[in-house]
């Protein structure tokens, strides 16, 4: 009975969030080690460098919680019914990180990708108030910077966080800001082949999404919209 309940809960997770989170957990559990990203004979390393989060421990669990939470809220919120656009954001962000990562000698980009997802969500939900471990109150757009400060306290390199923030900002600017500017336009357009593969005309009537305006569930992620 418990297994069936767990299976049902797992299958209710949106497809992109479910696939990416599962891949991250399985890859990290297998301790996949990347020797170099641009190996001609091992092209798969271009993908697995976004799936490996280091040894299983506090840092891994911390990243998995944020990855699952904010990836799911994006997919069920601003990308609801737009799976193809969500996948295209993954591809666009992954490509930019791969390019930028070569200049700062970064091989493992999973944490940076998580920060990118957090950044995009936070900018699209500017009025959500957050609480970090019950110690710090702030509005959602400051969340990526708070996480970067937390990484610094843990002794981690903030280059990874800065990369995620930079790529997230590029996507947010091109997708949400520039098209609304005088003389602006949409530079990011999801290819039709991706739309054909991922977009479906009908939604599951039994689908039970998480409310995007409640990023809580954990002391550092709870929040509510201003005026709510």
């Amino acid at each position: 009975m418990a297994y069936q309940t767990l299976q049902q809960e797992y299958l209710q997770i949106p497809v992109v969030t479910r696939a990416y989170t599962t891949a991250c957990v399985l890859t990290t559990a297998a301790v996949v080690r990347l020797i170099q990203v641009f190996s001609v004979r091992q092209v798969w390393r271009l993908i697995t460098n976004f799936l490996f989060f280091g040894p299983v421990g506090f840092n891994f669990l911390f990243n998995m919680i944020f990855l699952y939470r904010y990836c799911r809220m994006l997919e069920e919120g601003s990308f609801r019914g737009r799976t193809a656009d969500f996948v295209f954001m993954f591809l666009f962000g992954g490509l930019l990180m791969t390019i930028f990562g070569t200049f700062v000698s970064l091989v493992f980009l999973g944490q940076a990708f998580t920060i990118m997802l957090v950044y995009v969500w936070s900018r699209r939900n500017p009025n959500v108030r957050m609480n970090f471990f019950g110690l710090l109150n702030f509005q959602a757009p400051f969340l990526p910077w708070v996480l970067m400060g937390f990484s610094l306290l843990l002794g981690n390199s903030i280059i990874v966080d800065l990369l995620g923030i930079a790529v997230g900002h590029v996507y947010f600017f091109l997708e949400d800001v520039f098209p609304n500017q005088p003389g602006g336009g949409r530079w990011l357009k999801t290819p039709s082949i991706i739309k054909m593969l991922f977009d479906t005309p009908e939604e599951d009537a039994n689908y039970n999404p998480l409310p995007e305006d409640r990023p809580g569930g954990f002391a550092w992620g709870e929040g509510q919209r201003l005026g709510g």
Side-chain angles (χ1 to χ4, degrees):
M1 182 64 68
Y3 171 77
Q4 292 179 345
T5 301
L6 182 61
Q7 183 182 38
Q8 291 175 353
E9 290 294 327
Y10 176 75
L11 293 177
Q12 284 185 351
I13 300 174
V15 60
V16 177
T17 301
R18 183 171 69 237
Y20 183 51
T21 305
T22 301
C24 290
V25 172
L26 293 178
T27 301
T28 303
V31 195
V32 176
R33 300 187 181 279
L34 308 181
I35 299 176
Q36 61 181 36
V37 176
F38 296 104
S39 173
V40 176
R41 295 182 180 179
Q42 298 178 0
V43 180
W44 55 270
R45 296 186 188 278
L46 291 171
I47 299 175
T48 54
N49 64 344
F50 293 99
L51 307 179
F52 184 67
F53 283 78
V56 176
F58 175 78
N59 192 56
F60 169 73
L61 294 176
F62 190 80
N63 277 286
M64 286 299 100
I65 290 171
F66 273 84
L67 168 62
Y68 166 76
R69 189 68 187 175
Y70 290 94
C71 186
R72 179 168 184 173
M73 286 197 296
L74 275 176
E75 191 169 2
E76 292 180 340
S78 58
F79 286 100
R80 183 72 184 274
R82 299 169 51 220
T83 303
D85 293 336
F86 195 43
V87 171
F88 181 65
M89 185 190 77
F90 270 55
L91 297 176
F92 176 80
L95 177 62
L96 281 188
M97 285 187 191
T98 301
I99 295 174
F100 294 161
T102 60
F103 293 99
V104 290
S105 301
L106 285 179
V107 177
F108 303 108
L109 300 173
Q111 182 176 334
F113 199 87
T114 299
I115 294 296
M116 180 197 76
L117 295 175
V118 171
Y119 183 90
V120 173
W121 178 88
S122 68
R123 293 302 300 269
R124 288 183 171 179
N125 296 271
N127 294 323
V128 176
R129 290 188 297 183
M130 313 293 293
N131 180 277
F132 193 76
F133 286 114
L135 300 174
L136 183 64
N137 295 307
F138 53 91
Q139 288 180 250
F142 293 99
L143 179 59
W145 303 100
V146 172
L147 293 179
M148 185 180 72
F150 186 66
S151 294
L152 187 62
L153 289 176
L154 293 177
N156 299 327
S157 173
I158 63 172
I159 295 179
V160 176
D161 299 81
L162 288 174
L163 177 60
I165 290 173
V167 173
H169 183 74
V170 170
Y171 177 83
F172 176 76
F173 178 81
L174 294 178
E175 180 69 12
D176 293 40
V177 179
F178 185 69
N180 299 316
Q181 300 299 313
R186 295 186 62 86
W187 286 11
L188 298 180
K189 295 183 179 180
T190 305
S192 57
I193 187 172
I194 297 181
K195 286 184 174 292
M196 182 180 66
L197 290 173
F198 291 98
D199 277 351
T200 56
E202 298 181 356
E203 291 188 354
D204 185 356
N206 297 320
Y207 187 64
N208 184 26
L210 293 177
E212 188 178 21
D213 62 346
R214 291 185 58 199
F218 306 95
W220 57 81
E222 291 190 16
Q224 61 183 26
R225 292 188 182 280
L226 295 177

